Amino acid sequence: MTHVRIRPFNTRDTYPEQDIDNDLCQAVVAGDTIYLRGQIGQDLDTAANVGVGDVTAQTEQAMANIAMLLGEAGAAVDDIVKVTVYLVDPRYREPVYRVIGRWLKGVHPVSTGLVVSALARPEWLVEVDVIAVRQRAS
């Protein structure tokens, strides 16, 4: 089985201010399982930050990115089985989970939430990481 790598990039382009050189991608499809890179408030096509200072706007962008990447992988948000949410402040929990809950209404994935001291850039307030499994037609 060959893994499909969606939207490959190198960290030297993504983080030019840092001295790192790693080949990564936004999603890996391994069989029917899709692993997404943690998504933040950043437009995937332009790399522009969205919602600086606004955790709700950043979560909306992260979820829109997730839906778009899953679509590129031949899946949908209904296929999400695991969600991990990283917050830089526990007070963000309610607004973030309200947005995620709206996007995942009726999906019922398992979920883990963590509060971390920081994300890769100081303007990022939330990161959402998902695993999905494409459903086969019956």
Side-chain angles (χ1 to χ4, degrees):
M1 166 175 54
T2 302
H3 300 328
V4 176
R5 301 185 192 278
I6 297 173
R7 293 185 181 237
F9 66 95
N10 186 285
T11 53
R12 73 179 166 268
D13 302 320
T14 306
Y15 304 103
E17 73 281 3
Q18 300 175 16
D19 186 24
I20 49 179
D21 180 11
N22 295 325
D23 290 327
L24 301 173
C25 64
Q26 294 291 339
V28 174
V29 181
D32 288 325
T33 304
I34 300 119
Y35 301 90
L36 295 188
R37 180 175 193 248
Q39 295 300 307
I40 40 81
Q42 188 175 57
D43 183 297
L44 290 178
D45 293 323
T46 67
N49 287 318
V50 175
V52 174
D54 182 346
V55 73
T56 300
Q58 288 187 26
T59 308
E60 285 287 354
Q61 183 64 48
M63 294 306 295
N65 290 350
I66 288 166
M68 181 173 60
L69 289 167
L70 288 173
E72 292 176 14
V77 295
D78 290 351
D79 296 319
I80 293 173
V81 297
K82 172 79 167 110
V83 177
T84 305
V85 179
Y86 302 88
L87 304 171
V88 297
D89 188 322
R91 293 172 292 186
Y92 295 150
R93 186 176 186 279
E94 285 186 35
V96 165
Y97 277 85
R98 276 195 292 273
V99 171
I100 292 171
R102 187 171 26 76
W103 278 86
L104 299 181
K105 186 76 173 164
V107 176
H108 304 282
V110 297
S111 177
T112 299
L114 302 164
V115 178
V116 296
S117 62
L119 295 172
R121 288 216 167 111
E123 62 270 23
W124 296 340
L125 306 174
V126 59
E127 186 166 332
V128 184
D129 183 10
V130 304
I131 299 170
V133 178
R134 291 186 289 208
Q135 300 177 38
R136 295 180 184 204
S138 45

